[in-house]
Amino acid sequence: MVEDRSISGRIYAAINFTLLALIALITVLPFVHVVAGSFTTSAELAAHKFVLIPRIWSWDAYKFIFSTNTIFRAMGVSIGVTLVGTLFSMFITSLMAYGLARRDLDGRNVINFMVVFTMLFTGGMIPTFLVVKELGLINTYASLILPSAISAFNMIILRNFFQNIPEGLEESAKIDGCSDFGILFKIVLPLSMPAIATISLFYAVTYWNTYMSAILYLDDSTKWPIQVLLRQIVVLASGMDHSSTLDGTVPPPDQTIKMAVIVVATLPILMVYPFLQKHFAKGALLGSVKG
């Protein structure tokens, strides 16, 4: 009987492993194709629509993208906006989430309702643009941060996580003379690192992928983030005349440049994710159990 269970368990484990491996393979293959396609040649990409390992490696697409120092300036803008925006968003999100997590807060249910209401109904693009303009934020980096500084979804997840912290810890801190800010920064936040890491990653990805806000609020091309500049590179590459060249060399195909652009835009976030992976699943799940 024990042997039968062992055999059935092994069969289940083998089937489970096979299915998960297939799902993982299906998920990874498109990205491998994009990376390989960005390093391939024009002829190979035209002959083989799906490339996993280039037969002839070529850096032409990346040479075209990094042929000007403009991309490094745009990369610096995106990194700065991502770092500053994430820190600012986490600060105000933590303050609001902690306040709404306190069950003794007057009007707590009304404020929670107003937060959820903003998830369903928004002012729209034109009213938001008019507000940003009236505040004098046009053509400033603040216009990329302030309009999206706090997310109702992220705040609710963090609030739910704070509610899972035992109230006895806060009461003990109050008896010792700790203020509300002291409780938040010395007790609540250190115990909420999984949720903090998860929400920080959400905000970082949002700021790194900033595109529409930059298109609407930035008139100065020197202040463009990397996403807007990469889009301009794709447009420029798509309009190139591949039958003629300026220096006697064949420019990379626009499809190869598009793949290289995807790699350049995605790689920084992929490099950050492994450091937050151990906190990610735990923070997302625990923050969504209780409301």
Side-chain angles (χ1 to χ4, degrees):
M1 189 71 178
V2 175
E3 184 178 357
D4 293 339
R5 289 181 179 178
S6 177
I7 294 176
S8 62
R10 292 177 182 177
I11 294 176
Y12 171 78
I15 295 175
N16 191 28
F17 177 82
T18 302
L19 290 176
L20 292 177
L22 289 175
I23 294 174
L25 188 63
I26 293 174
T27 304
V28 172
L29 278 180
F31 186 74
V32 174
H33 165 64
V34 169
V35 175
S38 67
F39 287 103
T40 192
T41 61
S42 173
E44 183 176 354
L45 191 62
H48 306 283
K49 299 299 182 181
F50 192 79
V51 178
L52 292 180
I53 301 179
R55 297 180 181 178
I56 301 177
W57 291 79
S58 174
W59 293 83
D60 290 341
Y62 292 96
K63 289 179 180 179
F64 180 83
I65 293 176
F66 293 101
S67 60
T68 174
N69 293 329
T70 305
I71 191 169
F72 296 102
R73 182 175 63 242
M75 188 77 73
V77 171
S78 289
I79 293 175
V81 170
T82 300
L83 292 177
V84 175
T86 301
L87 290 175
F88 180 71
S89 294
M90 286 305 304
F91 177 72
I92 62 176
T93 301
S94 299
L95 291 179
M96 186 172 186
Y98 177 66
L100 293 179
R102 299 286 297 270
R103 292 179 172 83
D104 57 345
L105 176 67
D106 295 334
R108 174 173 174 266
N109 293 332
V110 176
I111 299 176
N112 279 322
F113 172 79
M114 294 173 64
V115 170
V116 175
F117 185 84
T118 62
M119 298 177 62
L120 304 176
F121 304 96
T122 61
M125 181 185 301
I126 295 178
T128 303
F129 177 83
L130 294 177
V131 172
V132 172
K133 182 179 179 180
E134 291 299 322
L135 292 176
L137 300 179
I138 295 296
N139 213 31
T140 65
Y141 294 130
S143 64
L144 305 181
I145 298 176
L146 293 181
S148 56
I150 186 169
S151 167
F153 175 79
N154 293 341
M155 194 281 297
I156 290 175
I157 292 180
L158 196 59
R159 181 206 65 188
N160 292 346
F161 195 97
F162 288 167
Q163 288 178 345
N164 293 330
I165 297 177
E167 295 182 2
L169 294 177
E170 298 183 19
E171 294 176 356
S172 299
K174 286 184 177 180
I175 294 175
D176 292 336
C178 192
S179 64
D180 289 332
F181 282 101
I183 295 174
L184 173 62
F185 291 105
K186 294 181 181 180
I187 297 178
V188 176
L189 292 183
L191 293 175
S192 306
M193 290 310 299
I196 296 297
T198 301
I199 303 304
S200 296
L201 182 61
F202 287 165
Y203 277 125
V205 171
T206 300
Y207 284 116
W208 180 260
N209 291 330
T210 296
Y211 173 77
M212 185 58 65
S213 297
I215 291 293
L216 292 175
Y217 307 136
L218 297 182
D219 299 327
D220 188 357
S221 60
T222 61
K223 296 182 178 180
W224 281 350
I226 188 65
Q227 304 297 340
V228 179
L229 182 63
L230 292 179
R231 185 256 182 188
Q232 293 300 110
I233 292 176
V234 171
V235 172
L236 178 62
S238 300
M240 287 192 311
D241 183 4
H242 298 285
S243 63
S244 61
T245 59
L246 296 177
D247 55 358
T249 59
V250 178
D254 58 330
Q255 192 66 22
T256 302
I257 293 179
K258 291 178 182 178
M259 294 183 177
V261 163
I262 295 175
V263 174
V264 172
T266 308
L267 188 59
I269 291 297
L270 291 180
M271 294 174 63
V272 173
Y273 179 75
F275 297 98
L276 303 177
Q277 183 179 5
K278 63 180 180 180
H279 300 298
F280 187 81
K282 183 179 178 181
L285 290 177
L286 290 182
S288 60
V289 172
K290 297 181 180 181

